[in-house]
Amino acid sequence: MADFLSELARDIDRTCRLTGSFTLRSGQVATEYFDKYLFETDPQLLRRVAESMVPLIPEDTDLLGGLGLGGVPLATMLSSLTGKPALFVRKQAKEYGTKRLAEGAEVAGRHVTIVEDIITTGGAVRDATRALREAGATVHTVICAIDRGPNPGVALSDVDLTTRYLLTRADLDQAHA
């Protein structure tokens, strides 16, 4: 891993890895917790992550589709850095007003690159991919800051989606050591 990525992994780990007593979604209690929102709400760290992610964006990208909640700050920062419009993608279409799944430009006929903060199993990305494709978008790539899955880059192959990631769980664990 390049020195700048090692330093970034160390800074993300130092900022986001918390110790204490944490009840997980499963109900289990853990003594360590990774709070991803701590890097996303730190403007300098968020900018460094986004700048490092710019090369991951495919050239044919028309829209950067940030998944709510974690992908939105990254998509916004990437949009600012690249000039490509951002799109904010909900977990489900709202039931009032425009009733849209994705806020921003029209997706039909456009190449949307999904932006996510962390991918573990890819469930939210999988759902968004299917919904965006149903709305007429071409979706073939997701970029993420951290792929925490057991086999980075492959969690979403079942929906014909290429995953490009900046860091892995192993990178963060190595930075922590």
Side-chain angles (χ1 to χ4, degrees), residues 130-146:
R130 289 181 181 127
L132 288 167
R133 287 174 177 165
E134 286 174 13
T138 299
V139 183
H140 55 75
T141 305
V142 56
I143 63 173
C144 67
I146 303 165

Side-chain angles (χ1 to χ4, degrees), residues 34 36 39 74 116-120 125 144-148:
F34 187 83
K36 63 186 184 175
F39 87 77
L74 282 168
E116 183 63 299
D117 53 1
I118 295 178
I119 293 175
T120 304
V125 174
C144 67
I146 303 165
D147 188 328
R148 290 178 47 119

Side-chain angles (χ1 to χ4, degrees), residues 7-72:
E7 183 178 329
L8 183 58
R10 187 176 55 250
D11 292 345
I12 290 171
D13 184 76
R14 188 179 304 131
T15 300
C16 299
R17 192 181 299 249
L18 307 176
T19 56
S21 180
F22 305 95
T23 302
L24 305 178
R25 185 182 308 171
S26 66
Q28 293 180 314
V29 176
T31 58
E32 201 171 75
Y33 185 75
F34 187 83
D35 187 346
K36 63 186 184 175
Y37 295 115
L38 293 177
F39 87 77
E40 293 180 279
T41 57
D42 177 315
Q44 286 78 32
L45 194 49
L46 176 63
R47 183 176 187 87
R48 287 173 54 206
V49 169
E51 287 172 342
S52 299
M53 288 177 69
V54 167
L56 302 177
I57 302 170
E59 287 187 32
D60 65 351
T61 300
D62 295 317
L63 301 168
L64 296 163
L67 299 191
L69 180 66
V72 169

